[in-house]
Every structure is written in C-alpha cells, then in structure tokens.
Amino acid sequence: MRAARALISISALQHNLQHIRLLAPNTKIMAMLKANGYGHGLLRVGHALREAEALGVACVEEALELRDGGVSNEIVVLEGFFASREIPLMAKRGFTTVVHHEKQLRELEETPTDTPIKVWLKIDTGMHRLGFPPEQAMNAFERLSKLAWVQQPVGQLSHLACADEIDNPMTGEQNRLFQQLTRELPGDKSLANSPGVLAWPETHYDWVRPGLMLYGSSPLPGHHGAEHGLQPVMTLESQVFSTRRLKKGERVGYGSAWVAERDTTIGVVAIGYGDGYPRHAPSGTPVWVDGRIAPLVGRVSMDMITVDLGPEAELPIGARAVLWGAELPIEQVADHAGTIAYELMCGVTSRVPFMSV
C-alpha cells in the first residue's frame, strides 16, 4: 500500500469549535462544511460537529448526504435552491434555504409547502456576488414575511469581502450598512466569517459562520492557526521510500530543474500531484522529515517529490514525512506554493486514504 495518507483529528476539530465559542461567546455557530468539509470528509466532519447549532453547505446535494448519513443538525444551504422542484424536498428534509435573488423569491412565493421552510434572506452589502441590493432588501423581506409556508421571522445575513485585511475599511462599511438595513427587522442576523470571528467582534451578531478556522488554519495572511489557539485537523503524511547520494552539479527531476550546489543526499517521498500535493510548489518549499525541515527540490511529480536531506544525512528508508499538519503549518506550505490553505485542504485526492484519529 502507498504510504501517503491524511490523518483527521476529531479532537482538534472539536477543540476548534469550542475555541470559537470563546471568541464569540454570545452567538450561535453555523459551521461551514462546504466542499466535502473543506476536504476533510463531509460526513466525518458533520458527525464530529454535532454540537454546532447549524451546519452550512453549498448545495442541496451536500445537505442530502449529511441527512442521509444520519446528521440531525440544522443544515443551511447557502446557495439556496436552483429550481423550484427542490423547495418541497428541502422543506420535507428540514433544510434551511438562503434566498438571494428575485428568481428564488418568486419561485418560493409560487411553491407552497406542507411543512414550513426556514429562510435566511441574503443582502449584498458590498461583496457584489450574491444577495439582494440594499434598495431591494426591505421589499424582499416583506414578501417573505407574508408567506404562510415560511417560518417567521426570516433571518438576514450578508458576507464580508475583505475581513482578512485588518486595515481595509471595507469591513466597517459593510457592517454599518448591514446594521442600518436590518436594525429594525425581527429575526436572527449573521455576518461574520472566520476572519470576522477573529478580527471584527462587532460583526458577530446572532450567528457566526466559521469555515477555515474550524479546520485549524488562520484566515489572516501572515498568521498560523496556532497563534489563534487553533489546532490543525488534517495531517498529510507519507514516507521516504528511497534515498540517493548526489555529487555537486548533479541534477534532479523532470527538466533537470534543480542542481545540487554541494554533495548531498536526496530523499524521495511517496506523494505527488496525483495525491493533491501542489505541482507548482517550488524548490525550497518545506517538508518535515524525521524531526526536521528538508526543502523540496526539483519538480513535483505525479507520485513523488524529492527533498534535500543534506550531506550528512543517514536517514532510514520508511522515515515519516509530513507535508502539512501539526509538525508543519499548512499556511507555511501554502505561502511557498503561492496558494492558500483552503486549496491545499480541498485538493487532496481520492486515492489518499483518510483516517480519523
């Protein structure tokens, strides 16, 4: 069996949920499970986060997988329904829908359900992606409030565009607009995402919607999750399955892209872009090997990478290598690879075995 595997720490996930309660003590938590639980396994995460007041997913398919898998939490479908035929199903299965544009609102008005459906009204406060424009928000709220098959009162939410940029005034502007639009409206309110939870307490309102930070990573550039009291949930690991002595001037990998500047030892680790390790990771990207950091050298292959172990290395075959996790912050790897932790988490492929620990 290949050595690459992803270890998912349930205790770390639950620790992060409880830590968010300390950061936002007067709110309910809608835990984000989109994209297969940020790559950690939708059902695994759903069952582990049973103490969250609600779980957030992108689409009805994700909600059905959770409910069919025995998850009983409230499930909020953040993109809402794509067709009116989904409305009765969502009501029957107890899903909460977000309504963010006129077509959805009309279809909901035209589709009575036997079971009342819970609704969040999404308002665009500046992200300009989804949501009713401010000048249409009150009319949309009033129309939803008149529907007998919609649970009352209707909640209101919006999404922060720049909360990870601490000095950007955009978040304050969005918060002021959201407050202005919803101050007199009944119903729960929600604005804060992960960076909002950490850096903008004035955006916490009734519900916070953490995503990345649940999985132990910092949403703030230049920071690691541990700095916020978070624990990494995913450890992607493998083994060194070959070593080779190189002389100064010898080259490694496709394109002979890396040249040894001294006599050294190269370790070959059983993981590559076929497993989800980023192909574009450059030489120098850190890899934790047997208790120390060894830099990636040469191009990432489909099934393996090479690391520089140094001239004095006497490493046994089978030595543990960690690509990211408790020993090596995922943010550090993402920075070297020119990407973000979200993409690394979500990119681990199906040929990597996942194990709850």
Side-chain angles (χ1 to χ4, degrees), residues 17 21 26 54-55 82 113 125-126 128 131 141 148 153 155 157 186 216 221 255 270 294 313 331 339 346:
L17 177 68
R21 292 202 187 281
N26 300 312
L55 307 176
F82 282 79
T113 59
T125 57
H128 297 329
F141 180 85
L157 60 79
E331 300 93 338
T339 185
C346 293

Side-chain angles (χ1 to χ4, degrees), residues 30 53-60 63-64 67 72-81 86-87 89-100 104 108 115-121 149-151 153-157 188 207:
M30 188 188 302
E53 285 79 7
L55 307 176
V57 298
C59 57
V60 173
L64 286 170
R67 192 67 87 226
S72 59
N73 300 60
E74 178 183 352
I75 300 173
V76 182
V77 181
L78 293 159
E79 293 179 358
F81 49 88
E86 295 176 326
I87 298 173
L89 172 66
M90 295 182 74
K92 182 179 180 181
R93 300 303 298 272
F95 301 153
T96 298
T97 187
V98 171
V99 172
H100 54 76
Q104 286 180 320
L108 190 57
T115 304
I117 187 168
K118 186 174 178 180
V119 173
W120 284 93
L121 171 68
W149 50 94
V150 168
Q151 291 185 32
V154 172
Q156 310 104 53
L157 60 79
D188 284 350
W207 289 77

Side-chain angles (χ1 to χ4, degrees), residues 195-216:
V197 170
L198 284 171
W200 304 90
E202 64 271 31
T203 69
H204 288 180
Y205 292 96
D206 301 298
W207 289 77
V208 293
R209 308 194 306 271
L212 185 66
M213 65 184 301
L214 272 170
Y215 305 96

